[in-house]
Amino acid sequence: MRDSLRAKIIAVCDKKIEQKGDNVGLSFYAFFANKNDDSELLMEAATWWILTHKLDHFEKAVKIKDMVKNGQ
């Protein structure tokens, strides 16, 4: 996963956790605007989320943040 996507995921997770607490869940769509302006980046996130790690549609933000920070 490219560094810019890792940074974006961590920033979004931090923001969601700050707003709603440690129990907040999110999907990989949370890292993108409602319009598809970067399909390659969206597919990279989807591949990481769905194919590589077989995560559920919604996962805890703290879990995703930890995974990304640990280089998974």
Side-chain angles (χ1 to χ4, degrees), residues 17-30:
I17 292 165
E18 181 181 315
Q19 290 174 336
K20 298 186 178 192
D22 287 342
N23 207 27
V24 67
L26 49 78
S27 77
F28 69 88
Y29 291 114

Side-chain angles (χ1 to χ4, degrees), residues 7-41:
K8 186 175 195 175
I9 289 172
I10 291 169
V12 169
C13 287
D14 283 342
K15 182 178 178 182
K16 295 287 186 183
I17 292 165
E18 181 181 315
Q19 290 174 336
K20 298 186 178 192
D22 287 342
N23 207 27
V24 67
L26 49 78
S27 77
F28 69 88
Y29 291 114
F31 312 121
F32 300 93
N34 285 337
K35 66 180 198 171
N36 185 6
D37 57 357
D38 191 342
S39 57
E40 287 183 24
L41 193 63

Side-chain angles (χ1 to χ4, degrees), residues 12-13 16 20 22-31 48-50 53-65 67:
V12 169
C13 287
K16 295 287 186 183
K20 298 186 178 192
D22 287 342
N23 207 27
V24 67
L26 49 78
S27 77
F28 69 88
Y29 291 114
F31 312 121
W48 180 87
W49 192 285
I50 298 167
H53 295 287
K54 304 197 181 345
L55 298 171
D56 290 335
H57 184 75
F58 284 95
E59 293 286 350
K60 302 291 183 205
V62 292
K63 174 183 177 179
I64 299 302
K65 179 182 171 182
M67 289 176 71

